[in-house]
Amino acid sequence: DSGVTQTPKHLITATGQRVTLRCSPRSGDLSVYWYQQSLDQGLQFLIQYYNGEERAKGNILERFSAQQFPDLHSELNLSSLELGDSALYFCASSPQSGRSEQFFGPGTRLTVL
Amino acid sequence: SQQGEEDPQALSIQEGENATMNCSYKTSINNLQWYRQNSGRGLVHLILIRSNEREKHSGRLRVTLDTSKKSSSLLITASRAADTASYFCATDASGANSKLTFGKGITLSVRP
């Protein structure tokens, strides 16, 4: 158990809908990272927050947004969902911003029908 | 795009044998990390090697890093069936915006 929690574990929704994925980092970790894992694209970095502020951005679509709250939990919002958004979404946390190992949550499996 | 490229894509060995996995990358790095993922589950950090280190050990794991060749290898000695998983290398590139870039992974099967 990494200490990172993600909810929900599974999510099934329809195209065009909007969903919110939630992540609670390990106690004391200030950085939260979001990744998308799919069969064709592999593991892709989406976005990083450090102590409430966006720190790095990766291959995140404009339809996706994220934020980190004062209690350091983070949410990833996915809107206007398409079939291709079906994937595993992982959250990871680390004590600082980069330069160290990341602790991954169990993931949210999103299925868009 | 993937920075780390692992080799081979799949590896099948007998329990007790050693498994060697390779990773190549393209840009300058601060560190390189190896992670393990059991099917459909979260990634587990195995080992981190910094750009000024050449070799590191952790239990049955040995990692080497050759920055001149931009490559790393992960050796798992005396493999066990429980080592069956996907293994990813991830690079933490130099620069202000640090983020991990993962390779596509190596599927390791250890036959009992």
Side-chain angles (χ1 to χ4, degrees), chain A residues 33 35 37 40-45 48 55-59 88 90 97-106 109, chain B residues 1-2 30-31 33 35 37 40-45 48 50 88 92-100 102-104:
Chain A
Y33 310 78
Y35 294 88
Q37 186 178 37
D40 53 344
Q41 294 292 323
L43 197 64
Q44 298 277 331
F45 167 75
Q48 177 208 352
R55 183 58 65 97
K57 217 166 183 175
N59 301 322
L88 263 171
F90 288 107
S97 179
R99 310 292 189 270
S100 67
E101 65 185 287
Q102 295 181 15
F103 298 87
F104 279 74
R109 182 172 293 281
Chain B
S1 64
Q2 311 294 77
N30 286 304
N31 64 67
Q33 304 178 33
Y35 287 79
Q37 183 181 32
R41 304 184 72 172
L43 280 76
V44 175
H45 181 266
L48 180 154
R50 302 195 187 282
F88 294 85
D92 183 347
S94 301
N97 289 330
S98 167
K99 61 182 179 70
L100 287 183
F102 285 82
K104 294 198 175 212

Side-chain angles (χ1 to χ4, degrees), chain B residues 57-74:
Chain B
H57 296 254
S58 176
R60 294 184 296 113
L61 305 180
R62 173 179 167 251
V63 168
T64 62
L65 179 65
D66 186 335
T67 53
S68 66
K69 294 182 180 176
K70 291 188 168 57
S71 67
S72 172
S73 68
L74 172 68

Side-chain angles (χ1 to χ4, degrees), chain B residues 6-112:
Chain B
E6 294 99 340
D7 165 57
Q9 288 188 338
L11 184 59
S12 180
I13 59 173
Q14 201 72 37
E15 206 166 26
E17 293 180 340
N18 295 342
T20 299
M21 291 168 269
N22 303 300
C23 169
S24 60
Y25 58 93
K26 294 173 186 170
T27 64
S28 296
I29 59 171
N30 286 304
N31 64 67
L32 185 144
Q33 304 178 33
W34 285 90
Y35 287 79
R36 184 187 75 226
Q37 183 181 32
N38 289 84
S39 180
R41 304 184 72 172
L43 280 76
V44 175
H45 181 266
L46 295 176
I47 197 164
L48 180 154
I49 186 165
R50 302 195 187 282
S51 59
N52 61 353
E53 297 175 310
R54 291 297 165 257
E55 187 172 315
K56 206 162 181 181
H57 296 254
S58 176
R60 294 184 296 113
L61 305 180
R62 173 179 167 251
V63 168
T64 62
L65 179 65
D66 186 335
T67 53
S68 66
K69 294 182 180 176
K70 291 188 168 57
S71 67
S72 172
S73 68
L74 172 68
L75 169 68
I76 303 175
T77 59
S79 63
R80 305 167 182 167
D83 295 328
T84 294
S86 292
Y87 291 80
F88 294 85
C89 72
T91 50
D92 183 347
S94 301
N97 289 330
S98 167
K99 61 182 179 70
L100 287 183
T101 304
F102 285 82
K104 294 198 175 212
I106 298 170
T107 301
L108 173 66
S109 298
V110 181
R111 303 185 301 274

Side-chain angles (χ1 to χ4, degrees), chain A residues 57-105:
Chain A
K57 217 166 183 175
N59 301 322
I60 188 166
L61 300 171
E62 283 190 15
R63 301 183 285 108
F64 296 0
S65 65
Q67 55 184 325
Q68 186 179 28
F69 295 87
D71 67 353
L72 300 178
H73 91 271
S74 177
E75 292 181 356
L76 179 66
N77 301 296
L78 314 176
S79 61
S80 303
L81 285 168
E82 302 174 359
L83 296 177
D85 297 328
S86 295
L88 263 171
Y89 290 84
F90 288 107
C91 163
S93 74
S94 68
Q96 302 159 6
S97 179
R99 310 292 189 270
S100 67
E101 65 185 287
Q102 295 181 15
F103 298 87
F104 279 74

